[in-house]
Amino acid sequence: MFAEHGGTVVNSWNEWDPLKHIIVGRADDTMVQAPEPAVQRDWSEYGFALGTYGRLPKQMEQKANEQLDNFAMILEGEGIRVDRPTPLDFSQPVQTPDWKQESMFGCMPARDLLLTVGNEMLEATMSYRSRWFEYLCYRPLLEQYFKDDPNMRWAAAPKPRLTERSYKKDYWKNFDNMSYEEQIERAKARDWVLTEAEPLFDAADVGRFGKDLFVQASTATNAAGIDWLRRHFPDHRIHPVHFLEESPVHIDATFVPLRPGLALINPDRPCLVPGLKELFEKNDWQIVDCAEPAHNKNAPLSFCSQWLSMNCVVLDTETVCVEAGETAQIKQLEHLGFDVISVPFWDASPFGGGLHCSTADVYREGTCKDYFPKQVEGF
Ligand code: NVA
């Protein structure tokens, strides 16, 4: 079946080499998850007051699945193989010996969970109890890739305990009572909900640039998680980064690689680590402010911001998929030399994010290259 890649199923080193095989998530049965130490949803205007939880409305789910299926079809039309996860009943309560959680979440944002680095697919620890079992949705695919590809490395980061020790007590309650300035001061100090009791990270906090991986410290990824990744990928250079944002989660609406020499940054979220700019300048990379988003706030029942506008999927160094309504972003990417494929996706966003969030790489052509031969001491 995989004769076209010489028997290799899994291979992807960056975000821009020619894409041949990808996973696209599903919206089925996605939940507004039950409250837990890491997450508290308060969407009273849409029927989910603080403390309540339940399935996202079926009508919304249907629209989201239509957009996800259409995205998968567009990719297939570009000659890309698309696989889909197997949803679970996410409304069921789950438990480990340490805790019980009244619901799971969903399996739309494949990117959050699966990190592909070369021939390895790594299941992230995740940091929400509602997402602890989400890896099961991808197991049928991972098992198959492992059978079909004798060189595939299949790894799972240590499953976290997620006891009370992993979270700062009453973090969100205190956060909601803070001024914006206080929230930003805490963010500058990387003082978010997670403690350092154990390594925690989401795969979507990692930006893949060949030999260099940029890992965002966030509300889902702690310093121990970044350290775990550094030790796990000893042949890579792991650069911890963080950006000016009160509650960051996932790097791909903040800092997005487009092709060798070019990345997009969110102008509202400047990088707080000086080494990043220096590294990019030294190696003749340009970092361009992304265009204005089409919306000025997130979609109803969405935990993602309007900056999903920059959450694009690069098919190769000349072609990129962008959300169809993001006209300014489309124009900017065309101006930067890309052929843009516009993909309607706004209705899918409450189920886990944008185009990039909904995918996880399986195969891109290419090898591990060093795009930053001139490194910055201490970064
Ligand atoms: N947390 C990000 C989304 C990441 C894809 C945002 O809301 O902008």
Side-chain angles (χ1 to χ4, degrees):
M1 194 198 306
F2 290 98
E4 68 268 30
H5 307 139
T8 301
V9 178
V10 176
N11 182 71
S12 177
W13 296 98
N14 57 48
E15 299 287 341
W16 56 77
D17 274 339
L19 180 66
K20 300 292 170 195
H21 186 176
I22 199 162
I23 297 170
V24 173
R26 290 188 189 278
D28 307 48
D29 289 331
T30 303
M31 302 285 294
V32 173
Q33 68 261 68
E36 56 174 303
V39 198
Q40 319 262 314
R41 304 288 183 217
D42 186 1
W43 287 322
S44 19
E45 70 273 41
Y46 303 115
F48 288 97
L50 188 66
T52 61
Y53 60 97
R55 276 199 168 82
L56 279 147
K58 273 288 163 198
Q59 215 183 353
M60 284 176 71
E61 181 187 306
Q62 195 186 334
K63 269 196 194 160
N65 266 333
E66 275 166 24
Q67 295 197 332
L68 284 152
D69 293 349
N70 179 55
F71 180 34
M73 222 169 60
I74 289 172
L75 293 170
E76 283 168 349
E78 295 296 310
I80 296 161
R81 182 184 159 153
V82 178
D83 287 336
R84 314 294 299 273
T86 306
L88 302 167
D89 173 3
F90 301 114
S91 68
Q92 64 186 305
V94 286
Q95 69 180 77
T96 71
D98 292 315
W99 44 260
K100 184 167 183 201
Q101 168 68 18
E102 293 305 326
S103 85
M104 303 170 72
F105 163 60
C107 66
M108 184 279 213
R111 186 71 57 179
D112 296 3
L113 198 122
L114 295 174
L115 178 63
T116 308
V117 176
N119 63 343
E120 173 168 329
M121 288 183 93
L122 171 68
E123 297 168 12
T125 66
M126 313 304 284
S127 64
Y128 297 176
R129 293 175 181 172
S130 53
R131 305 192 72 179
W132 204 93
F133 287 100
E134 207 168 301
Y135 70 97
L136 293 173
C137 306
Y138 300 96
R139 281 290 169 93
L141 296 175
L142 295 175
E143 284 163 13
Q144 194 60 46
Y145 303 158
F146 189 71
K147 275 189 197 129
D148 290 343
D149 179 350
N151 292 315
M152 181 216 181
R153 282 166 52 87
W154 174 12
K159 289 305 279 176
R161 295 290 293 270
L162 302 185
T163 65
E164 297 299 321
R165 289 179 59 238
S166 295
Y167 307 104
K168 290 175 194 160
K169 195 168 157 29
D170 295 330
Y171 178 84
W172 291 114
K173 208 166 95 193
N174 296 335
F175 182 88
D176 288 340
N177 290 327
M178 276 178 212
S179 67
Y180 174 73
E181 287 70 30
E182 283 171 308
Q183 291 173 352
I184 283 291
E185 278 317 304
R186 284 188 80 167
K188 282 184 183 163
R190 283 172 288 174
D191 183 4
W192 296 297
V193 64
L194 302 180
T195 67
E196 294 296 335
E198 58 181 345
L200 297 169
F201 67 94
D202 277 9
D205 270 323
V206 182
R208 303 171 311 136
F209 291 65
K211 196 173 167 60
D212 293 85
L213 302 174
F214 297 86
V215 189
Q216 176 179 241
S218 76
T219 57
T221 297
N222 63 10
I226 300 177
D227 189 35
W228 188 90
L229 284 164
R230 188 178 56 74
R231 295 191 219 179
H232 184 72
F233 292 115
D235 298 332
H236 281 74
R237 295 182 293 241
I238 305 288
H239 305 279
V241 286
H242 80 285
F243 300 84
L244 189 68
E245 188 188 353
E246 327 75 279
S247 291
V249 56
H250 305 157
I251 197 168
D252 50 349
T254 299
F255 188 61
V256 171
L258 292 175
R259 63 178 177 233
L262 185 63
L264 280 184
I265 193 161
N266 182 327
D268 254 21
R269 301 175 182 169
C271 186
L272 294 170
V273 181
L276 184 82
K277 193 162 175 266
E278 196 186 333
L279 181 72
F280 276 61
E281 275 172 8
K282 255 185 159 173
N283 291 279
D284 300 321
W285 276 68
Q286 230 191 321
I287 303 180
V288 179
D289 282 355
C290 75
E292 272 296 303
H295 306 268
N296 59 13
K297 62 176 178 80
N298 46 357
L301 292 172
S302 170
F303 47 85
C304 293
S305 74
Q306 68 271 32
W307 294 103
L308 290 180
S309 54
M310 69 187 298
N311 190 258
C312 54
V313 176
V314 176
L315 303 192
D316 57 48
T317 51
E318 283 162 12
T319 321
V320 61
C321 293
V322 183
E323 206 286 316
E326 298 296 343
T327 40
Q329 191 54 74
I330 290 172
K331 227 184 247 163
Q332 181 189 38
L333 286 163
E334 283 172 347
H335 187 70
L336 288 166
F338 284 93
D339 289 332
V340 174
I341 300 175
S342 28
V343 182
F345 211 70
W346 184 246
D347 295 321
S349 63
F351 293 77
L355 294 165
H356 191 258
C357 306
S358 74
T359 60
D361 284 30
V362 182
Y363 192 96
R364 287 181 189 263
E365 288 174 358
T367 54
C368 184
K369 292 203 184 118
D370 184 353
Y371 298 94
F372 299 92
K374 297 176 193 153
Q375 288 287 302
V376 172
E377 186 71 32
F379 173 55

